[in-house]
Amino acid sequence: MSAGTPLSDCDVASDERIVAGQHGTQRCSATAQDRGWPRVFALPLKIMLLASAKTSRMTTPEIQSRTDATSPFEGGPIAFVPAIVAGMVTATVVLWVLALQRGASPPDPLMAHLVPWARPMARSDERDQFLYHAGIILTALGGFGGALIQMWLTRARPAPRPTLPAKQAPRKRTRAAHTSAAGGRTATVEVRKPAPARARWVRALPHVLAVIAVGSLLYVPDYRAMAGTFWTGEHFHHWHFYAVLPTYAYLSGLVPVLESYSQYGLGLPIILGNLCRLTGGFSHASIVWLGMTYGVLYFVALYVLLCAWLRDWRWGMAGVAFALLLQQFLGLAPPAVLWQYPSSTVLRSPFDVWVFLLLTGHVYRHSPGYLISAGLIAGVAIFWESDTGIYLAASFVAYCTYLWFDDTASGGWSWMGTGKYAAMVVIAPIAFFFLTWLSVGGAISSAVFWNRFFEPMQLFRSGFGMLPMPAPAWGTLHVFLTPGLYVLVALLALITALRLSAQPWRGGYVLGALGVYGLGVYHQYIGRSHPWNWFHVCIPFVILTTALIHIALQRLEMRLRDRAPREFGARVVVRGAQLAPLILLGTAIVLLTAAPGLRSYPGLLSGRWSIPGLAWDSPGMGFRTLGGQAPRDRFVAVAARVSQIVPATAPVAILSEFDSVLYVMTNRRPFSRFVPLYPAVALDSQADEVVGALHNQDLRYVFWDRSPDRQPWGAFLPTLLTPYIAADFELIDRIEQFEVWRRRSPVPGS
């Protein structure tokens, strides 16, 4: 917590600020610890109080009270920015020359093993990803070199950093004499008078309104009707891959990754499955509700994070408003809703905001408990989803590295300090492997499990589904400047940690770690560089941009504070800097109001509390559509036949683009780990695995959808499996467009 910013006359989660004599001390009452609250739960409340401390009632003379830095997130080595940018620009020229000289890379060997339908969707040319990684390295080296050249040219020697906290701002307090039982000596105790209840409510009101605003924008009252639009639009294709089918398989007793296809991670279906058990049961609609509701909580936590950094609810709300605008309402053409594509929402990386909140708590309190908790959550993030979790763990490692550099530069290298941070760094992988062992048991040591674990990432790395990255143009400059911003912030934090700058900026280590994280999640754009995908990974960019604008304006305000009382121009600039958060917030509100995506969004503000429609009330469904009773009845008829002839514990082969829905409706076990079957099989080895599963003697029935599949993958597997089905099974029935086949040789003992 900043030393110079009063929270209230008696801070709810205050540090132990005591003026004590030789014997005995007395703490200010009503702290979070005194109430028995765990410190980690006291952090959000403390952050709200920190945010409310800096109000908008400042006048020009009051600027005098704002000394160097009222928050560890303010300030920073801004003087190094021009030199770093110059070095990065020079490195960019080198990268451009390298791009001109570099030809097409050799095709990835994995491309030769794709099945026919998947080959047109792959790109074997990896120049874009190569240049992205080369660009990160070159710009980082160039920017750091620019900072070193600036130091050499100016021959500036950084002054020693202050070791004592900044001078306290005046507080209302009373002094009481306390007589110690030992020796009868008197100790002077500082007791801060509690703020009036009305003042506390007034300070809390903007935060309450901010939470209400986020909920009103994002929460969808009739989530069942919204889920029905996902069925109408694409039959839950993205939700089936992301969460619905992996979660259903887990609840059916199958081990994720090992026995069922979980493209996005091992822990995602496990966590969602247990949440479904706690919230009343599994269904398509309940999974959508969990995702959408968590999205509201995520953006509320993002608001808390920005308030902790910037100490002003207006800045926090402005940053969240722009994040909502860009991430939720500009990434798709209306009336499409981003929740239809869960892998593009905050569900792709749901734990990052909590890790950065804990790192913020560590900045304020310096308690190792915050670091340990952040490392544990980073391990859970890897467990939830492999790629984004690894990026989050890398950002946690970056933060620990900054701290290690800082401690080493100030106190010298030591085994104890190095060991402490090394222990912190391994917390995330230990947590991940422990959770994995709990989930798969002894299979954690098998090659089969790890091959299947890395299977989706290998396909993504090899260019499966990759789109070409756009060439630089005025309309696409933000695409190339985004990683440059991340590199800049990470370098500023590194310069501070190495003590190349005299000004302390401990909060900048969290910003630098966020820059490292942003470079990681930006792979989701690089791999699938559709223009819309930038919006889906823009949250780190918005947060850092908001923080840097605030820092720059505060620095400008500080430089002009002495001239403001006597110079009109300086006074106008200072007042403009003070009004900047309101201007940004107003701009964001206007843009949100004008955004077509928001106007078509079925949230609380739309007034569409309940939309009538056809209820899909079969097990595992729970959504409503605006029409299509005939398709629903057709699925109900097929599901009834499956439930009638297939034992509850037996596998069944449903060969259809709608296999996911029928498995959930019938609560039957898939014969293969690939569900949805047709679009999940992208490699020859996976197709061979499906053929092997068809030979399983426990598989008695095949339900074959003979209607033409509208998707490009719909013709490959049926053609491949036809001779095996004709050889081992016999046709016994037809239901609608489905053929029912039974194995010719019954299983012995059945």
Side-chain angles (χ1 to χ4, degrees):
M1 187 175 68
S2 163
T5 302
L7 304 185
S8 64
D9 294 325
C10 188
D11 188 349
V12 174
S14 64
D15 295 330
E16 298 178 14
R17 303 196 183 280
I18 307 164
V19 180
Q22 203 168 10
H23 296 280
T25 58
Q26 176 181 334
R27 291 179 53 191
C28 177
S29 61
T31 65
Q33 286 83 354
D34 292 339
R35 292 194 178 105
W37 296 354
R39 295 180 71 176
V40 67
F41 293 111
L43 177 63
L45 179 59
K46 177 176 180 179
I47 288 172
M48 284 296 186
L49 291 170
L50 288 171
S52 64
K54 183 179 174 183
T55 64
S56 60
R57 298 190 300 270
M58 293 187 64
T59 60
T60 302
E62 290 174 328
I63 301 173
Q64 302 293 337
S65 65
R66 294 181 58 176
T67 54
D68 289 338
T70 60
S71 166
F73 291 89
E74 297 170 355
I78 305 299
F80 281 87
V81 170
I84 294 175
V85 171
M88 293 174 64
V89 170
T90 303
T92 303
V93 174
V94 175
L95 181 67
W96 177 68
V97 174
L98 177 64
L100 293 179
Q101 300 298 321
R102 179 177 167 81
S105 60
D108 192 297
L110 190 69
M111 296 298 101
H113 300 284
L114 290 175
V115 297
W117 77 263
R119 290 170 191 162
M121 297 187 65
R123 299 284 193 277
S124 60
D125 186 351
E126 296 183 5
R127 285 178 297 175
D128 297 334
Q129 291 198 35
F130 169 83
L131 293 177
Y132 173 68
H133 295 100
I136 292 174
I137 296 172
L138 287 174
T139 53
L141 292 176
F144 189 70
L148 293 179
I149 291 173
Q150 176 183 342
M151 287 192 62
W152 179 77
L153 291 176
T154 58
R155 301 185 184 278
R157 295 187 177 182
R161 294 187 179 183
T163 57
L164 297 177
K167 184 179 179 181
Q168 289 289 311
R171 298 178 185 269
K172 294 181 180 180
R173 54 182 173 267
T174 60
R175 292 185 178 273
H178 173 67
T179 303
S180 171
R185 299 188 180 181
T186 301
T188 302
V189 182
E190 177 184 326
V191 180
R192 281 168 289 176
K193 296 172 62 178
R198 180 178 297 178
R200 291 198 296 269
W201 276 109
V202 170
R203 291 177 179 178
L205 183 60
H207 307 305
V208 174
L209 294 177
V211 172
I212 293 174
V214 171
S216 300
L217 282 172
L218 275 188
Y219 189 79
V220 178
D222 196 357
Y223 64 92
R224 299 182 188 276
M226 180 179 70
T229 65
F230 303 164
W231 168 261
T232 304
E234 56 161 12
H235 300 114
F236 284 102
H237 171 74
H238 284 83
W239 271 105
H240 282 160
F241 260 109
Y242 185 79
V244 173
L245 262 298
T247 303
Y248 166 76
Y250 166 73
L251 293 174
S252 301
L254 300 177
V255 178
V257 173
L258 190 63
E259 298 176 336
S260 65
Y261 190 64
S262 184
Q263 179 177 349
Y264 290 95
L266 171 65
L268 190 153
I270 296 175
I271 295 174
L272 275 181
N274 286 289
L275 285 176
C276 287
R277 288 168 174 165
L278 292 174
T279 55
F282 164 83
S283 70
H284 284 71
S286 65
I287 291 287
V288 170
W289 178 83
L290 282 172
M292 177 267 300
T293 304
Y294 181 80
V296 176
L297 179 61
Y298 179 95
F299 281 99
V300 169
L302 186 62
Y303 167 75
V304 175
L305 181 67
L306 284 170
C307 286
W309 290 1
L310 309 180
R311 299 287 189 88
D312 192 328
W313 70 269
R314 301 167 303 171
W315 280 103
M317 199 60 228
V320 170
F322 275 108
L324 284 168
L325 172 68
L326 296 176
Q327 207 267 346
Q328 285 287 140
F329 301 118
L330 290 186
L332 289 175
V337 175
L338 189 62
W339 296 118
Q340 181 173 333
Y341 309 97
S343 60
S344 295
T345 67
V346 296
L347 300 179
R348 186 74 178 266
S349 49
F351 297 103
D352 52 9
V353 67
W354 307 109
V355 169
F356 288 107
L357 270 172
L358 287 167
L359 296 184
T360 302
H362 181 262
V363 169
Y364 283 119
R365 283 296 188 87
H366 307 287
S367 170
Y370 288 104
L371 272 185
I372 294 172
S373 300
L376 291 174
I377 295 181
V380 176
I382 304 175
F383 180 68
W384 168 270
E385 185 171 346
S386 313
D387 57 350
T388 58
I390 291 173
Y391 306 145
L392 187 58
S395 71
F396 174 72
V397 171
Y399 179 77
C400 293
T401 304
Y402 289 139
L403 293 180
W404 179 68
F405 281 150
D406 188 288
D407 291 354
T408 302
S410 60
W413 188 88
S414 69
W415 282 105
M416 182 172 295
T418 303
K420 177 181 70 174
Y421 290 116
M424 294 295 178
V425 163
V426 300
I427 288 176
I430 288 175
F432 163 70
F433 282 109
F434 177 72
L435 292 172
T436 302
W437 173 76
L438 288 179
S439 304
V440 304
I444 193 174
S445 59
S446 66
V448 173
F449 169 76
W450 291 109
N451 287 338
R452 294 179 177 179
F453 180 84
F454 289 110
E455 200 172 53
M457 287 184 281
Q458 185 182 19
L459 280 169
F460 185 82
R461 182 199 64 80
S462 297
F464 179 65
M466 184 186 296
L467 298 172
M469 189 172 180
W474 287 114
T476 61
L477 281 182
H478 62 283
V479 168
F480 299 90
L481 294 178
T482 298
L485 175 68
Y486 298 150
V487 171
L488 172 65
V489 177
L491 283 176
L492 287 175
L494 179 62
I495 288 169
T496 307
L498 293 175
R499 299 297 179 96
L500 303 181
S501 170
Q503 185 173 358
W505 195 37
R506 197 171 182 89
Y509 301 159
V510 179
L511 303 185
L514 182 58
V516 173
Y517 177 67
L519 289 172
V521 296
Y522 209 59
H523 283 87
Q524 297 174 37
Y525 171 79
I526 296 299
R528 298 178 181 270
S529 51
H530 189 284
W532 281 346
N533 279 15
W534 181 88
F535 294 100
H536 303 156
V537 294
C538 72
I539 289 181
F541 176 83
V542 173
I543 298 174
L544 288 176
T545 301
T546 304
L548 292 179
I549 290 175
H550 173 266
I551 291 171
L553 289 177
Q554 188 207 42
R555 178 63 61 90
L556 180 63
E557 185 181 345
M558 292 297 176
R559 292 174 67 92
L560 297 177
R561 65 184 180 184
D562 295 329
R563 296 161 52 187
R566 61 180 184 275
E567 295 183 17
F568 175 77
R571 192 159 53 250
V572 170
V573 173
V574 168
R575 181 57 64 186
Q578 292 176 355
L579 294 177
L582 288 178
I583 295 172
L584 289 175
L585 179 57
T587 303
I589 292 174
V590 170
L591 293 176
L592 275 169
T593 305
L598 178 61
R599 293 202 299 269
S600 63
Y601 187 78
L604 284 169
L605 295 180
S606 69
R608 290 177 284 177
W609 298 91
S610 180
I611 302 173
L614 178 68
W616 289 59
D617 49 8
S618 300
M621 298 293 105
F623 55 86
R624 292 197 309 273
T625 58
L626 293 177
Q629 183 167 353
R632 187 198 66 171
D633 294 343
R634 182 164 61 250
F635 286 118
V636 170
V638 176
R641 183 62 169 152
V642 173
S643 301
Q644 178 186 3
I645 65 176
V646 179
T649 58
V652 58
I654 300 177
L655 307 181
S656 170
E657 65 171 314
F658 305 108
D659 58 343
S660 304
V661 174
L662 290 170
Y663 279 125
V664 173
M665 291 177 68
T666 59
N667 195 23
R668 291 303 187 267
R669 182 160 63 90
F671 81 108
S672 164
R673 70 183 177 97
F674 299 105
V675 180
L677 177 64
Y678 292 166
V681 177
L683 295 171
D684 292 330
S685 59
Q686 295 173 335
D688 294 339
E689 188 178 336
V690 173
V691 171
L694 195 64
H695 287 304
N696 181 8
Q697 290 298 309
D698 292 334
L699 177 63
R700 296 290 307 279
Y701 293 95
V702 174
F703 284 75
W704 193 352
D705 186 356
R706 300 310 293 255
S707 61
D709 195 314
R710 294 164 295 178
Q711 304 296 339
W713 50 71
F716 168 68
L717 272 182
T719 304
L720 177 67
L721 299 179
T722 295
Y724 301 103
I725 295 174
D728 297 338
F729 296 83
E730 58 183 353
L731 180 65
I732 62 170
D733 197 4
R734 281 188 173 86
I735 306 170
E736 300 289 343
Q737 74 271 26
F738 279 81
E739 296 178 351
V740 183
W741 294 70
R742 183 177 59 195
R743 187 175 293 276
R744 286 197 172 89
S745 355
V747 177
S750 62

